[in-house]
Amino acid sequence: MTVRILAAGDHFVLNRLFVDALRELGAPADPANPGLPAPGLREPGLPELDVTGLDIAELTLPWPVEPFGPVAEVREASGSEDELIEALRGAEICLTQMAPLTERVLAACPDLRLFCVSRGGPVNANLEAATAHGVAVTFAPGRNATATAEHTLGMILAAVRRIPSTHGELMSGVWRGDYYTYDSVGPELDGGTVGLVGYGAIGGKVARMLAGFGARVLVFDPYAADDGYAERVSSLDELLSRSTVVSLHARATAETSGMIGAAQLAAMPAGSVLVNCARGSLVDYEAVCDALESGHLFGAAFDVFPEEPLPKDSRLLTAPNVVMTPHLAGASKETAQKAARIVAADVGRHLRGEPLAHCANPEVFRLR
């Protein structure tokens, strides 16, 4: 039986990664390496799939060459409803990172049964409409945890050591020997205290990396489990007041929106550093600029912003000792490869009639 699949990749999670991951579902299992995601592996104990019956079509979306944005009722999507509807004709399964799964797309694609989003959350999918149309939506949790944790550590070091600014000045012919004065230098991680707000897959990896530097790690997360790498604190205020470096790893929710504002920055010790590689909505950036300009904060490092791309009149562009990257903390080749394999594994489960591992709308199975 032929199963039509659409691989709607982009310039990061490439179509060839989706196709390779689907082909791996038919590869012999490797008993010495029983886990997924990993190249050339199936889940142990499950039969090989006959992948010769897969009819795979491809659509390439423009992200990140063109920024993502809202498409109809979904956000952070790439491409148009019209091109996706055309590409999905007759398809039962779609693997994508950014394609917009909207009410209009669902209504026009009655054969669709599985929509796989290779991101940490399916923000480009209308879950309510998908459920109503009998379409299961899966996603790829943890795909970028290692990349984001490594980037976070790099941002911390860049800020406390002024690496980007001094590099830029040196390239311009300016030798900032005055930064060696006691009041101009930053803190060490060894023996210092780093506070992590949010302790999921990324926060846990950051804590383990920091342990190698000899840092004490505090964590504020009501849902976090103890793992021996961090000390849990009962309140955000306690974490802020005790931490020389604060790194944010919380999800963007109504509860966490603006969680770091002027009052919270004032609670941090003078000369401390704030890092955000999570979501721009967590921080009041105007308050951060005030704290940097007053000298209360030694530095800050941001990969995410409330408006992306960053506006040309943003105060962050002129505030002292700010390290910024354009929302690419999770960008690594391994992230794209893991993302494709995680969603392809759920395609395999779907084709075998097995429960999905990462379904965002499990109620769809009660309504079918």
Side-chain angles (χ1 to χ4, degrees):
M1 178 180 175
T2 299
V3 177
R4 183 169 174 77
I5 298 176
L6 174 66
D10 49 52
H11 299 285
F12 177 53
V13 183
L14 306 175
N15 278 325
R16 67 174 173 82
L17 298 179
F18 285 132
V19 173
D20 289 348
L22 290 170
R23 298 300 182 200
E24 287 169 5
L25 296 174
D30 182 350
N33 298 284
L36 274 179
L41 301 180
R42 290 182 294 105
E43 291 172 282
L46 294 176
E48 283 185 32
L49 282 172
D50 181 7
V51 297
T52 60
L54 302 182
D55 174 17
I56 305 172
E58 297 184 17
L59 170 68
T60 299
L61 302 172
W63 190 85
V65 177
E66 296 179 12
F68 61 58
V71 177
E73 75 272 19
V74 301
R75 58 190 178 91
E76 294 188 13
S78 177
S80 70
E81 292 175 299
D82 288 339
E83 66 179 338
L84 184 60
I85 289 169
E86 180 62 29
L88 277 172
R89 293 194 187 282
E92 177 183 332
I93 299 168
C94 178
L95 293 85
T96 189
Q97 181 181 216
M98 293 285 183
L101 187 66
T102 65
E103 171 64 47
R104 180 170 168 242
V105 169
L106 287 156
C109 302
D111 297 314
L112 188 64
R113 284 293 174 265
L114 180 65
F115 191 83
C116 301
V117 179
S118 61
R119 306 172 70 177
V123 296
N124 48 306
N126 182 334
L127 293 180
E128 183 178 351
T131 302
H133 283 272
V135 177
V137 178
T138 70
F139 60 107
R143 66 168 194 160
N144 65 353
T146 297
T148 304
E150 291 179 353
H151 193 91
T152 298
L153 187 60
M155 295 288 266
I156 292 171
L157 292 170
V160 299
R161 295 293 178 161
R162 297 186 188 267
I163 294 172
S165 60
T166 52
H167 170 80
E169 288 169 329
L170 192 59
M171 293 293 288
S172 299
V174 179
W175 184 276
R176 292 300 302 267
D178 57 306
Y179 277 153
Y180 217 117
T181 61
Y182 182 84
D183 289 335
S184 298
V185 297
E188 294 182 354
L189 294 180
D190 188 6
T193 301
V194 180
L196 306 180
V197 181
Y199 203 62
I202 297 170
K205 286 182 177 291
V206 172
R208 291 191 286 277
M209 293 175 184
L210 288 168
F213 279 82
R216 165 181 280 183
V217 181
L218 307 181
V219 58
F220 172 66
D221 186 334
Y223 309 102
D226 291 329
D227 63 0
Y229 288 97
E231 173 190 343
R232 293 184 60 178
V233 297
S234 58
S235 70
L236 177 61
D237 287 345
E238 180 183 357
L239 180 138
L240 295 172
S241 65
R242 293 176 58 188
S243 301
T244 304
V245 176
V246 173
S247 184
L248 307 182
H249 302 282
R251 293 187 178 276
T253 66
E255 183 181 29
T256 61
S257 180
M259 68 186 305
I260 303 297
Q264 289 73 32
L265 294 168
M268 294 171 63
S272 53
V273 172
L274 177 68
V275 178
N276 185 13
C277 292
R279 283 292 182 263
S281 62
L282 304 180
V283 175
D284 179 345
Y285 285 86
E286 290 295 315
V288 169
C289 289
D290 290 341
L292 288 165
E293 291 169 0
S294 72
H296 179 69
L297 283 182
F298 175 81
F302 302 124
D303 184 57
V304 290
F305 309 91
E307 183 180 347
E308 298 177 2
L310 195 66
K312 293 182 179 180
D313 61 351
S314 172
R315 288 177 64 195
L316 289 170
L317 297 173
T318 56
N321 202 19
V322 179
V323 180
M324 294 185 289
T325 52
H327 202 155
L328 48 69
S332 71
K333 285 183 168 59
E334 288 80 3
T335 291
Q337 295 161 5
K338 290 174 188 175
R341 292 182 187 122
I342 290 170
V343 293
D346 259 341
V347 171
R349 296 181 186 101
H350 169 80
L351 295 175
R352 287 188 295 264
E354 301 282 340
L356 301 176
H358 306 298
C359 187
N361 59 336
E363 61 272 23
V364 70
F365 299 104
R366 296 193 293 270
L367 298 177
R368 282 181 177 177

